[in-house]
Amino acid sequence: MKLNTKQTFFIGLAFMSICAFWQLYDQIIPLMLDHTFHLNATLIGIIMSFDNILALFMLPFFGSLSDKIDTRLGKRMPFILTGSFTAAVFLILIPIAANMKSIALFIIALALTLIAMQSYRSPSVALMPDLTPKPLLSKANAIINLMGAIGGMLALILISLFVPEGVENYLPLFISLAAIMLVSAALLFITVKEKKQTIESSRDEPLIQSHKQLPKDVKRSLSFLLFSIAFWFMGYNAVTTAFSRYAAAIWDKGAGSSATLMLIATAAATIAYLPIGQLSARFGRKKMIQFGIILLSFSFLVGGWFTSLSPLAYLIFACVGIAWASINVNSYPMVVAMASEGDTGKYTGIYYTFSMSAQIITPILSGLFIDLTGYGSLFPYAFICTLLAFITFTQVAHGDEKCAGAKGIEAFEEMDA
């Protein structure tokens, strides 16, 4: 059994454009709210949380909805095409509203863009497991994550090209990103024939009965896996969101130093994606996630010891990136490996519900500890979260690669027999 790398690359184009958008969203929208509309930090924070709040409701809804429809284009493609086009149109309205100094139009355009983006995020991610044999999900997800990293870097390149110092006309930048989104969707539509290739995939791997009730032991594993996902996202996201302030408070370093360390973590993860996909096929998803949790826990534990910026910190953050790649490449495939064939979109939405909930909760919870005890609590907080993730993950007995070779849900029963 061999992964169709070319097909997986084209499937990843949708995720690439989504990640490019979120990079631009995180980098530029706060600047527009601050420099153009002169909002205070609290209002900016509230507006910037809209995407996570929408994701809690929309990702499971559209993931499940895409399971239920069946068109001549397939289940996921109508959402990808419609969502990409709609998002691209509303995206261009955002800088137009900024140039007009119309905060009302800006908020409306931003809200409509976010709704359009969330409408096709789960379907676009679910397309990969639809067209990929389950034993190859980790390899395929490594490519998808790599495409996401490329999308993030592409957005940063566009920002550097179209937003020179002192210029606040963001229209060329947003038009460029809209064009990338449309071209990505068009290439995906041309190269990936979802309906035809889903039928061909089902011949190679017999389908689980659509929407079949999961056995109790599989439900138990899934529950513990979802809590593990929430815990490791809480640990990782706490560090990524507060680290620039931590570096200033503890190390007396500016944004440049903290950005460099985060860039090292991102670069290490990007380089590690494909090798980890290969190692996961050999050693199994569960072992690679356990390796990632242990390495991440160790990195956070050691990271909290530094009272100043040490050269060893660069190595620690490289380990953070490798650990996160090892977890990220395998966690989503473990979730969908437990799903009935007709529920891939639904379980994709559930995966995002737990990961996004963690990213909403952890800045508040870690911020509370920081307010009470100081920034020195950041790394211990992250360590405790990853330790909890390790404990809950020990109770996950299904979804590993060795489970995917048998026929559907019966494979789980055979493994425990």
Side-chain angles (χ1 to χ4, degrees):
M1 189 177 293
K2 187 177 180 182
L3 178 67
N4 188 334
T5 304
K6 182 179 179 182
Q7 175 182 275
T8 307
F9 167 81
F10 285 114
I11 292 173
L13 287 173
F15 190 63
M16 182 192 77
S17 67
I18 289 170
C19 290
F21 167 80
W22 292 119
Q23 183 71 259
L24 180 142
Y25 176 80
D26 289 337
Q27 295 287 324
I28 300 299
I29 297 299
L31 290 178
M32 299 173 84
L33 292 171
D34 184 4
H35 297 171
T36 303
F37 297 108
H38 309 292
L39 301 184
N40 60 43
T42 301
L43 282 174
I44 292 172
I46 292 171
I47 292 170
M48 292 301 293
S49 70
F50 284 172
D51 63 314
N52 288 331
I53 295 169
L54 282 173
L56 285 180
F57 303 98
M58 294 189 66
L59 294 181
F61 173 76
F62 281 101
S64 183
L65 184 61
S66 68
D67 287 333
K68 294 179 174 66
I69 72 162
D70 189 13
T71 72
R72 63 185 182 85
L73 297 179
K75 292 175 174 290
R76 321 297 179 187
M77 199 66 72
F79 291 91
I80 296 171
L81 297 177
T82 304
S84 297
F85 177 78
T86 307
V89 171
F90 291 132
L91 185 66
I92 296 173
L93 285 179
I94 294 174
I96 292 174
N99 291 341
M100 294 169 59
K101 309 292 184 183
S102 173
I103 186 65
L105 180 59
F106 182 90
I107 295 298
I108 292 170
L110 181 62
L112 292 172
T113 302
L114 291 174
I115 290 170
M117 292 299 301
Q118 304 290 14
S119 72
Y120 78 98
R121 184 170 176 176
S122 288
S124 67
V125 174
L127 182 61
M128 182 275 285
D130 282 349
L131 305 182
T132 305
K134 287 190 175 180
L136 302 176
L137 284 177
S138 290
K139 282 186 176 181
N141 201 41
I143 295 174
I144 299 298
N145 276 276
L146 180 61
M147 295 294 290
I150 291 171
M153 290 187 288
L154 187 59
L156 292 174
I157 292 170
L158 290 176
I159 291 169
S160 65
L161 290 175
F162 290 105
V163 189
E165 204 68 38
V167 175
E168 292 190 10
N169 179 16
Y170 299 102
L171 186 58
L173 170 64
F174 280 71
I175 290 175
S176 300
L177 180 60
I180 288 173
M181 292 169 64
L182 293 174
V183 170
S184 297
L187 284 173
L188 175 59
F189 174 69
I190 292 169
T191 56
V192 178
K193 304 302 179 184
E194 181 190 346
K195 190 84 169 181
K196 178 176 180 291
Q197 287 167 248
T198 300
I199 294 171
E200 290 177 350
S201 176
S202 69
R203 293 186 187 130
D204 296 330
E205 183 182 12
L207 298 180
I208 302 171
Q209 182 179 337
S210 182
H211 311 297
K212 184 176 179 180
Q213 187 74 16
L214 295 181
K216 288 183 179 180
D217 56 338
V218 180
K219 283 185 179 180
R220 183 178 184 277
S221 284
L222 180 61
S223 298
F224 277 106
L225 175 57
L226 292 171
F227 280 113
S228 300
I229 288 166
F231 283 133
W232 62 55
F233 265 99
M234 287 177 67
Y236 181 79
N237 192 251
V239 173
T240 58
T241 55
F243 184 65
S244 60
R245 289 171 286 154
Y246 175 91
I250 302 297
W251 296 348
D252 195 26
K253 293 293 181 180
S257 296
S258 60
T260 299
L261 287 167
M262 294 309 299
L263 181 61
I264 287 172
T266 303
T270 303
I271 294 168
Y273 282 137
L274 294 182
I276 284 171
Q278 296 290 332
L279 290 171
S280 301
R282 180 174 180 180
F283 296 107
R285 298 176 189 130
K286 185 171 182 177
K287 287 182 179 178
M288 291 306 298
I289 289 179
Q290 287 174 326
F291 161 76
I293 297 174
I294 292 169
L295 183 59
L296 191 63
S297 300
F298 173 79
S299 300
F300 288 155
L301 183 63
V302 175
W305 290 348
F306 295 118
T307 56
S308 61
L309 180 57
S310 164
L312 283 176
Y314 297 99
L315 176 61
I316 292 299
F317 272 79
C319 289
V320 168
I322 294 169
W324 190 243
S326 189
I327 293 169
N328 221 23
V329 163
N330 291 290
S331 55
Y332 172 67
M334 285 194 78
V335 171
V336 294
M338 297 186 209
S340 301
E341 197 68 32
D343 289 330
T344 303
K346 172 185 173 182
Y347 283 87
T348 299
I350 291 172
Y351 168 84
Y352 278 119
T353 296
F354 276 78
S355 62
M356 298 304 292
S357 296
Q359 293 176 73
I360 293 173
I361 293 168
T362 202
I364 300 170
L365 189 58
S366 62
L368 177 62
F369 281 107
I370 289 171
D371 286 337
L372 291 174
T373 63
Y375 278 96
S377 64
L378 178 62
F379 281 102
Y381 169 89
F383 170 75
I384 291 170
C385 288
T386 52
L387 185 62
L388 289 171
F390 183 83
I391 293 170
T392 54
F393 192 69
T394 60
Q395 302 302 306
V396 178
H398 303 89
D400 206 349
E401 192 149 321
K402 60 185 177 182
C403 302
K407 298 181 180 180
I409 289 177
E410 292 79 5
F412 301 116
E413 298 165 350
E414 289 170 11
M415 189 187 73
D416 290 338

